[in-house]
Amino acid sequence: MKVLNNQYIIKHFPVAALAVLLVIFLAAIGNGSDNKNFVKKIAPQAVQGVIDLSDWNLREDGLVAIDGEWEFYWKRLLTPADFANDLSGAKSLVVVPNQWNNYAASDDVQGGAGYATYRLTLKLQQPHMKLGLKLPDVSTSYNIWIDGKFLDSTGVVGSNAELCWPAYQPKVLYFENFGNTAEVVIQVANFVHHKGGLKSSLQFGTDKEIRQLREKKLALDVFLFGVFLIMACYHFGLFCLRRKEKSTLYFGLFCLLVAIRTTVTGEILVVEVLPNIDWQLILKVEYLTYYLGLPTFLGFIYYLFPQETSIRVLKTVNVIGIAFGMVVLLLPLKVFAYTLMFYNFLTVAASVHMLYAMYKAAAANKEGAFLFSLGIGVIAVSAVNDMLYNNNLINTGNIVPTGLFIFIFIQSFVLSARFSYAMSAVEQMSDKLRKSHVEIAGWNKKLEKTVDQRTAAVRNLLNNAGQGFLTFGYDLLIRGEYSNECVKLFEQDIKNKNFAKLLFPNNDQEQSFTTEALQQVLDEEDAAMQKIYLSLLPEEALINDKNVKIEYKVLGSDKNDQVLMVILTDITEKRLIERQMEQERLILKMVVRVIQSRRDFINCIKEYRQFCHEGLKSIIESDLETDEMIFEVFRKTHTFKGIFSQFGMGNITESLNVMETELSALGKNSVTPMTVKELIEFLDGFDMLTWLDKDIVILKEVIGEDVLLDENGVVISHSQLAEFERKVSELIQQPERAKLLAEISKLKFVLFRDLFKRYPDLTLQLAEKEGKFINPFVISGGRFPVDADQYYDLAKSVIHLFINSVNHGIESVEERLAYGKNQYGEITCSIELSDGKIAVVITDDGSGIDFNKVREKVVSKGLYSPEQAAVLTEAELLKFIFEARFSTRDDITMLSGCGVGMAVVKREAEKLGGTISITTEAGQGTAYIITIPYHER
Amino acid sequence: MARIMIVDDAAIMRRNIQLMLERAGHTIVAEAGNGAQAFHEYQVHKPDLVTMDITMPGINGVETVKNIVAEFPDALIIMISALSSKHLVLQAIKNGAKHYIIKPISAEKLLVVVNDVLVRYQNKKMCAGDRQWD
């Protein structure tokens, strides 16, 4: 708030300062001053006991303080009669107002005690005026006569302490002057106060003016009393509401003390209310309010500006103030009066400190410090003034009340300012809060949106994970959020459905078991036990004919809030593949076993077939009893079953097992023995030979047609044969040796066609790989024996021809159809022997060799220029195909169009003394012809 | 190195389990062939751990577990069950059994479960024989 801002005040300082000064000035004048200095005329002073007011128009020129030289009769109580009869005696002249301690005439005064008579003669303008006289508090008792008439007394005047009775009471007296003069005689006696006599001025004027003066002063005192009392109550109220602010308490106390002080100073209100109040009490209260007032005020300052005010100063003042207060309370005026001077010094010192503290506070820019300093300054000034006035050094009057009034005004203003400031701060904050609310609401919306987005993202993720995720709590009802896969698996919407029921719709027992186990998991706190319960639950289930893997997870850290998540994975395909793999494994096992014990296998098959055909019959036709027969058959089938089981032949093993079981049941069951006919019928029901065929078919597929071929021979390895050859060479002489070696060689002979045996299959596989379609083919011809070793390399190299045909010869289906060819390509392989020459012909009905491509390749290889390449004949180009250099890998890849394999085949053919040629026709096909001599050896 | 009691109505099974456990360093302090005997033997020997077959004549395994645990709340009992009796296992665990093994029993399975229970509930160190199964 601006007014609390010190800079603001300083800027407007001139105005504020002037205002304050003006107020002080007015107060000083209005309050205590008995001198109306602003009046144009200056009132005359009394001289030699006479005051000449014959030129003074009381009505116009106003009141007069009848100060100056009065007649003074020390230690004489004289009446007007005494003066009339001239019995006054020696007179002295003293200046009034003043305490008679200061007079030379009364230099034997001791501690203010004594008695005297004052006399003044007034010279007036007119006779018979209605006049008034205002008497201040006189120390401490008096009698007053005017114009010989006894007007009033205050207290009891006496010549010694016993006879004298003190009283303070400012009074007004009205009288009428007889003639042009008026004689004032005042007897004063004092035995209690340390200052005696007419300490203050008497005011004189028209009765009306005097009355007005008195009323004005009274009113002011009452007003101030009221103000200070209200302020005290108000601050006490503030303190009650907010105990933290000790400053309000001290200020309230201070205001209270000042309020009390106003009743015992100035017009001394208390006497109006309690006329018989003990005069000492008035004095004591006056002192006490001062002695207690200073620490209270200092305390107030301290709690307002604790950093700037010294606590030590405060404590010191507190101690002294309370101590002096006790002195005032307990001891008579004569004693405690002397403490006043000392206390005044303390007040000055404290004031200096206070002003310094204020300065520091203003420098530290504490709120309202400047205004405060101003207020304190005002009080300080008025306090100083009062001190001086009360010591009769100046004649202004007590203005501390007014000064305090100003200060309190400032203080109230500051308080109100603070209050307003607090209110507007609250309003601002409410505003801010409102705005924040709106902002927060906005953020909330944003957050919700973000959460929604994230949830959607997660849901999306789960839905695309290919696994079913669902959750449920203790009630086993599936919660809202689950992935789409669940719906696919269960083939229904699963929200709020019971999980156990969904899983085992037709099995009540499983349902209840699952429910119990799941609920145990959720009841259980120990994670290890949870795992154990979960392990009892099914890991796999059949849902709508799908094999589904089930995993369980417990979610939620808060034990009361735990939820189970189930992850479902469709493993139908996986199981299918596993089954297929298992089947293939078993088949392979069977194949391996069969191959390992080929001889035994073939014998076994023979025996079984023989049993089926003849063995059974012989049992039937024997002399045994039917149950014995049954037992025999049982025994045999059991044996066969065991053997076939060893070979891993699953089908027949299973079938024989069934037969066995039925036979055994038959045997146990027969109450009445079977007839043979019945037995034959029974046995006919078993298709024993067909069972075997099933496995044989599988074996043939894998091993080949000759699985059953019973060579009834010996198998020997190549190394064995080589060893044999060596031995023959060692041990047998020529010419038998050559003959024998030839015969041995013949052992190694195979049919020439067998060297090419695998090519049809291989070519077919290759075509499939390349995405080409060809008809299966067989090797024709070549049924003559040859030494396998001799023709082995050539036969191996021929693969390149087939590769060429598939890769470059046979076109894609679209192309073939476009050319009007059959969508399936034709590849053939024929072997002929004539005139000692073997001809191997491999053909394809593809696109033929593209000679342009060959030309391009030749050019790109840098062997010919384009012009040269253009004139090359087909024959020359063909030769070039065969003459590929394959020294580096790069060459091979660059010439991939024609295939390096050709060169390999050519080489092999020539090694055997043969040749290779190509016939090709664009769009029709290609034929590779290998011609090699036939060595019969 | 725990003190173990074996409960099974088949002596062969008991022998089997005994061999497996003893080879791993545990001590068999008691045997029982039925529920009542099991309870009695437990009272007498207070073993560290019990292996108990679920299907037994008379008082079956589930009941026996309940009885023993009621009297001795700290009892550690491992159920041995066939695959078809999983629902009985659930009841046994609800009654206070700590773990279970499904037949057929291998030494490996048995020792892993025994150790798990011992470690969890008694913080016993692993027997030396178990190292090979790590």
Side-chain angles (χ1 to χ4, degrees):
Chain A
M1 193 102 187
K2 281 193 285 197
V3 285
L4 296 180
N5 185 331
N6 299 336
Q7 308 309 320
Y8 182 83
I9 297 293
I10 291 173
K11 252 181 52 174
H12 296 73
F13 172 82
V15 177
L18 269 172
V20 169
L21 283 171
L22 189 66
V23 175
I24 296 176
F25 191 62
L26 284 170
I29 300 304
N31 183 30
S33 173
D34 297 330
N35 246 337
K36 284 193 178 175
N37 289 332
F38 55 86
V39 175
K40 343 148 218 187
K41 233 168 153 176
I42 297 179
Q45 297 253 318
V47 173
Q48 301 242 336
V50 179
I51 184 166
D52 189 355
L53 296 171
S54 43
D55 274 338
W56 190 266
N57 186 330
L58 290 168
R59 217 165 286 132
E60 286 170 16
D61 300 331
L63 296 168
V64 176
I66 43 176
D67 301 332
E69 285 180 337
W70 285 52
E71 288 172 21
F72 185 70
Y73 304 89
W74 181 241
K75 287 243 166 73
R76 310 266 293 282
L77 292 172
L78 303 165
T79 66
D82 292 334
F83 287 104
N85 298 334
D86 208 19
L87 295 171
S88 50
K91 77 172 176 193
S92 7
L93 290 166
V94 293
V95 177
V96 166
N98 207 343
Q99 59 216 25
W100 61 37
N101 314 42
N102 298 339
Y103 295 154
S106 54
D107 57 2
D108 64 336
V109 72
Q110 278 186 350
Y115 55 98
T117 308
Y118 293 80
R119 185 169 180 267
L120 183 70
T121 309
L122 295 92
K123 277 210 181 135
L124 303 164
Q125 234 184 20
Q126 305 171 276
H128 302 292
M129 288 187 285
K130 289 214 164 57
L131 301 166
L133 188 68
K134 186 169 186 310
L135 287 144
D137 45 316
V138 175
S139 249
T140 46
S141 56
Y142 65 89
N143 295 326
I144 183 166
W145 290 259
I146 299 186
D147 277 350
K149 199 158 111 194
F150 174 78
L151 279 182
D152 205 351
S153 68
T154 300
V156 176
V157 173
S159 50
N160 57 44
E162 291 78 29
L163 296 171
C164 198
W165 189 255
Y168 265 0
Q169 193 171 21
K171 277 195 176 133
V172 287
L173 301 168
Y174 303 107
F175 62 97
E176 200 177 301
N177 61 326
F178 232 37
N180 284 353
T181 61
E183 182 207 38
V184 177
V185 173
I186 309 178
Q187 288 178 344
V188 181
N190 169 48
F191 292 97
V192 286
H193 202 287
H194 58 285
K195 297 186 213 169
L198 297 172
K199 296 182 301 164
S200 313
S201 303
L202 286 71
Q203 296 275 12
F204 171 71
T206 60
D207 61 346
K208 212 159 71 180
E209 299 232 343
I210 288 292
R211 182 177 302 120
Q212 276 176 359
L213 179 68
R214 161 83 172 157
E215 282 169 358
K216 196 174 72 188
K217 279 179 175 246
L218 213 56
L220 190 64
D221 275 5
V222 171
F223 173 69
L224 285 175
F225 172 71
V227 165
F228 289 127
L229 194 63
I230 289 172
M231 273 294 130
C233 294
Y234 177 62
H235 281 83
F236 286 144
L238 280 180
F239 177 68
C240 284
L241 289 175
R242 202 176 145 79
R243 300 287 168 91
K244 271 184 14 173
E245 292 276 7
K246 290 230 179 79
S247 61
T248 49
L249 173 67
Y250 280 88
F251 194 68
L253 277 173
F254 183 70
C255 289
L256 186 64
L257 287 170
V258 173
I260 295 173
R261 191 180 167 88
T262 54
T263 63
V264 295
T265 55
E267 295 304 300
I268 310 184
L269 276 171
V270 70
V271 162
E272 302 297 317
V273 177
L274 305 165
N276 298 320
I277 191 169
D278 182 22
W279 173 89
Q280 281 252 3
L281 193 57
I282 298 175
L283 265 294
K284 281 193 182 195
V285 169
E286 189 186 328
Y287 274 69
L288 268 174
T289 54
Y290 177 35
Y291 285 0
L292 296 179
L294 180 66
T296 313
F297 192 74
L298 197 56
F300 165 61
I301 296 293
Y302 173 75
Y303 282 107
L304 269 185
F305 300 102
Q307 270 114 6
E308 289 77 15
T309 321
S310 157
I311 185 135
R312 268 188 278 141
V313 169
L314 176 65
K315 283 197 179 154
T316 315
V317 169
N318 277 348
V319 166
I320 296 178
I322 292 175
F324 277 32
M326 300 300 285
V327 167
V328 165
L329 264 180
L330 302 172
L331 300 179
L333 173 63
K334 287 219 183 116
V335 178
F336 68 71
Y338 293 101
T339 58
L340 186 60
M341 187 51 61
F342 181 70
Y343 206 78
N344 284 341
F345 281 124
L346 185 68
T347 307
V348 171
S351 305
V352 168
H353 176 71
M354 272 191 271
L355 283 169
Y356 176 62
M358 285 292 98
Y359 166 73
K360 277 207 285 186
N365 217 4
K366 291 282 167 79
E367 249 181 11
F370 197 82
L371 273 178
F372 240 82
S373 312
L374 216 59
I376 304 266
V378 164
I379 296 178
V381 164
S382 44
V384 164
N385 168 81
D386 275 22
M387 270 190 274
L388 294 175
Y389 169 73
N390 285 323
N391 284 321
N392 287 56
L393 297 170
I394 56 173
N395 203 6
T396 48
N398 283 313
I399 61 168
V400 159
T402 316
L404 279 172
F405 176 74
I406 295 171
F407 176 78
I408 285 169
F409 186 76
I410 294 178
Q411 155 80 335
S412 310
F413 184 67
V414 168
L415 205 69
S416 311
R418 277 228 177 100
F419 181 68
S420 295
Y421 179 59
M423 285 304 281
S424 55
V426 165
E427 275 169 8
Q428 269 184 356
M429 239 173 257
S430 297
D431 222 16
K432 256 198 200 165
L433 205 67
R434 214 174 296 123
K435 285 208 193 112
S436 296
H437 272 214
V438 172
E439 229 186 311
I440 287 175
W443 287 342
N444 266 354
K445 276 229 165 66
K446 265 203 215 154
L447 256 165
E448 273 175 23
K449 231 177 94 186
T450 310
V451 167
D452 278 338
Q453 280 177 342
R454 293 272 166 85
T455 312
V458 170
R459 197 183 300 127
N460 208 17
L461 209 75
L462 288 180
N463 280 338
N464 288 321
Q467 284 181 307
F469 297 90
L470 54 91
T471 55
F472 50 83
Y474 199 79
D475 55 6
L476 259 57
L477 296 177
I478 295 175
R479 306 232 171 138
E481 291 288 336
Y482 52 83
S483 71
N484 282 345
E485 185 73 10
C486 297
V487 179
K488 268 208 272 176
L489 285 169
F490 287 109
E491 291 173 5
Q492 53 175 305
D493 185 21
I494 63 171
K495 184 167 173 178
N496 276 332
K497 300 246 169 81
N498 183 303
F499 176 70
K501 289 211 179 90
L502 265 182
L503 206 55
F504 302 109
N506 303 320
N507 191 336
D508 281 345
Q509 203 189 27
E510 278 297 332
Q511 262 182 42
S512 58
F513 175 71
T514 307
T515 307
E516 205 183 337
L518 286 170
Q519 286 182 332
Q520 273 298 123
V521 171
L522 286 172
D523 269 339
E524 189 60 58
E525 292 180 24
D526 181 8
M529 286 310 285
Q530 280 182 335
K531 256 175 65 182
I532 291 179
Y533 281 115
L534 286 173
S535 70
L536 290 168
L537 289 163
E539 287 176 349
E540 203 181 304
L542 206 64
I543 303 177
N544 293 322
D545 296 326
K546 298 185 264 263
N547 295 98
V548 180
K549 180 168 89 157
I550 310 177
E551 291 165 86
Y552 304 90
K553 288 215 178 337
V554 181
L555 298 179
S557 51
D558 185 4
K559 138 177 101 78
N560 290 329
D561 218 7
Q562 282 187 323
V563 140
L564 272 173
M565 176 164 88
V566 171
I567 306 175
L568 303 164
T569 321
D570 189 342
I571 53 171
T572 316
E573 231 184 89
K574 178 171 145 200
R575 285 272 173 269
L576 198 67
I577 291 173
E578 280 172 5
R579 278 199 287 272
Q580 281 176 338
M581 278 173 65
E582 181 63 16
Q583 256 194 330
E584 283 181 20
R585 192 181 70 85
L586 289 171
I587 290 176
L588 266 166
K589 198 161 97 164
M590 173 171 71
V591 167
V592 165
R593 298 249 176 99
V594 163
I595 292 183
Q596 276 175 334
S597 327
R598 187 65 159 275
R599 171 84 18 93
D600 289 333
F601 171 70
I602 293 176
N603 283 341
C604 173
I605 302 293
K606 258 209 193 134
E607 272 182 41
Y608 179 77
R609 285 202 173 130
Q610 200 181 42
F611 173 74
C612 292
H613 283 133
E614 294 155 16
L616 263 178
K617 243 200 257 160
S618 65
I619 293 178
I620 301 289
E621 286 163 5
S622 70
D623 290 330
L624 297 166
E625 294 295 329
T626 38
D627 18 325
E628 283 171 339
M629 279 186 207
I630 290 170
F631 184 66
E632 264 303 307
V633 176
F634 177 86
R635 210 174 53 82
K636 272 285 198 228
T637 53
H638 184 79
T639 313
F640 278 120
K641 185 183 91 172
I643 296 172
F644 285 128
S645 163
Q646 293 278 17
F647 281 112
M649 296 166 73
N651 284 311
I652 186 158
T653 310
E654 183 57 39
S655 307
L656 283 174
N657 194 32
V658 169
M659 180 173 171
E660 209 186 282
T661 316
E662 291 193 26
L663 278 172
S664 123
L666 198 62
K668 287 195 191 136
N669 239 359
S670 52
V671 176
T672 50
M674 262 183 127
T675 64
V676 175
K677 197 150 161 246
E678 283 170 340
L679 185 58
I680 292 172
E681 259 182 55
F682 179 76
L683 290 172
D684 273 341
F686 297 112
D687 217 347
M688 293 174 79
L689 282 167
T690 327
W691 294 342
L692 181 62
D693 287 339
K694 277 203 200 140
D695 286 311
I696 298 288
V697 160
I698 297 175
L699 283 167
K700 278 191 179 169
E701 267 179 42
V702 178
I703 300 175
E705 282 292 330
D706 55 350
V707 65
L708 289 175
L709 274 185
D710 181 16
E711 288 295 336
N712 219 10
V714 179
V715 177
I716 58 173
S717 68
H718 271 252
S719 53
Q720 281 174 309
L721 196 60
E723 178 63 23
F724 188 53
E725 276 180 332
R726 213 182 50 78
K727 271 275 169 351
V728 163
S729 301
E730 247 182 62
L731 301 169
I732 311 291
Q733 303 294 334
Q734 293 288 20
E736 283 82 2
R737 187 202 298 173
K739 279 200 202 134
L740 204 53
L741 285 173
E743 288 300 315
I744 293 171
S745 218
K746 278 217 185 107
L747 289 173
K748 291 189 281 176
F749 276 20
V750 299
L751 290 176
F752 189 79
R753 56 176 283 113
D754 282 349
L755 292 169
F756 296 80
K757 164 163 81 173
R758 301 208 310 138
Y759 283 127
D761 253 347
L762 267 173
T763 311
L764 221 57
Q765 280 176 26
L766 182 63
E768 200 181 334
K769 205 165 76 151
E770 294 297 315
K772 304 276 175 70
F773 288 74
I774 58 171
N775 278 329
F777 63 96
V778 291
I779 316 283
S780 69
R783 288 174 213 276
F784 46 88
V786 291
D787 186 351
D789 293 337
Q790 205 180 6
Y791 295 96
Y792 183 71
D793 287 337
L794 175 66
K796 209 168 75 145
S797 71
V798 164
I799 183 71
H800 294 290
L801 302 178
F802 287 108
I803 290 174
N804 269 354
S805 289
V806 169
N807 283 351
H808 310 292
I810 303 296
E811 315 94 324
S812 67
V813 174
E814 295 85 35
E815 278 179 65
R816 289 185 66 84
L817 288 174
Y819 291 137
K821 293 185 187 172
N822 193 329
Q823 62 177 334
Y824 288 96
E826 279 295 328
I827 295 183
T828 69
C829 176
S830 62
I831 307 168
E832 256 186 51
L833 173 64
S834 64
D835 293 338
K837 286 209 175 342
I838 307 173
V840 180
V841 181
I842 296 164
T843 71
D844 69 68
D845 70 340
S847 57
I849 292 179
D850 187 348
F851 284 103
N852 287 325
K853 271 229 179 89
V854 180
R855 278 185 236 272
E856 279 172 26
K857 285 272 156 55
V858 162
V859 170
S860 68
K861 245 229 126 191
L863 297 162
Y864 289 98
S865 68
E867 301 82 30
Q868 289 169 321
V871 291
L872 289 172
T873 63
E874 293 189 355
E876 286 170 317
L877 287 168
L878 279 176
K879 260 208 335 205
F880 190 72
I881 288 170
F882 284 115
E883 254 130 52
R885 262 160 285 205
F886 49 101
S887 52
T888 69
R889 266 169 154 246
D890 287 321
D891 284 349
I892 293 172
T893 54
M894 276 168 70
L895 287 167
S896 66
C898 292
V900 139
M902 306 294 280
V904 175
V905 179
K906 181 158 183 281
R907 193 172 64 142
E908 291 304 324
E910 282 168 358
K911 263 205 225 163
L912 291 167
T915 57
I916 176 167
S917 63
I918 304 178
T919 327
T920 181
E921 202 177 320
Q924 296 297 321
T926 312
Y928 306 95
I929 306 141
I930 306 169
T931 326
I932 40 176
Y934 175 55
H935 298 117
E936 202 169 356
R937 236 190 333 143
Chain B
M1 315 298 173
R3 302 169 52 250
I4 303 184
M5 172 167 88
I6 304 176
V7 180
D8 196 311
D9 55 330
I12 283 192
M13 281 300 295
R14 292 204 300 269
R15 181 104 184 99
N16 205 12
I17 296 174
Q18 178 184 359
L19 285 172
M20 285 193 260
L21 290 173
E22 279 177 344
R23 201 174 295 139
H26 298 294
T27 323
I28 310 305
V29 298
E31 281 183 28
N34 61 55
Q37 197 183 6
F39 186 84
H40 174 77
E41 293 294 318
Y42 192 97
Q43 247 181 341
V44 170
H45 296 280
K46 305 265 180 27
D48 295 326
L49 188 143
V50 180
T51 69
M52 185 183 301
D53 191 38
I54 252 192
T55 43
M56 286 191 295
I59 313 172
N60 69 15
V62 178
E63 276 298 307
T64 315
V65 169
K66 201 169 172 189
N67 296 341
I68 294 182
V69 170
E71 193 67 29
F72 309 98
D74 292 333
L76 305 178
I77 307 178
I78 298 176
M79 307 311 295
I80 300 184
S81 159
L83 188 61
S84 50
S85 309
K86 272 197 165 176
H87 56 289
L88 290 176
V89 172
L90 178 65
Q91 296 308 316
I93 296 183
K94 275 176 93 167
N95 283 348
K98 299 290 186 250
H99 216 316
Y100 69 98
I101 306 172
I102 301 288
K103 292 198 266 210
I105 307 179
S106 71
E108 178 181 346
K109 249 201 283 183
L110 176 64
L111 291 166
V112 161
V113 170
V114 163
N115 241 70
D116 180 58
V117 173
L118 287 173
V119 164
R120 263 199 292 139
Y121 291 96
Q122 285 197 1
N123 285 317
K124 282 221 159 82
K125 297 287 175 191
M126 275 205 201
C127 288
D130 298 336
R131 290 276 160 65
Q132 57 183 299
W133 307 121
D134 278 5

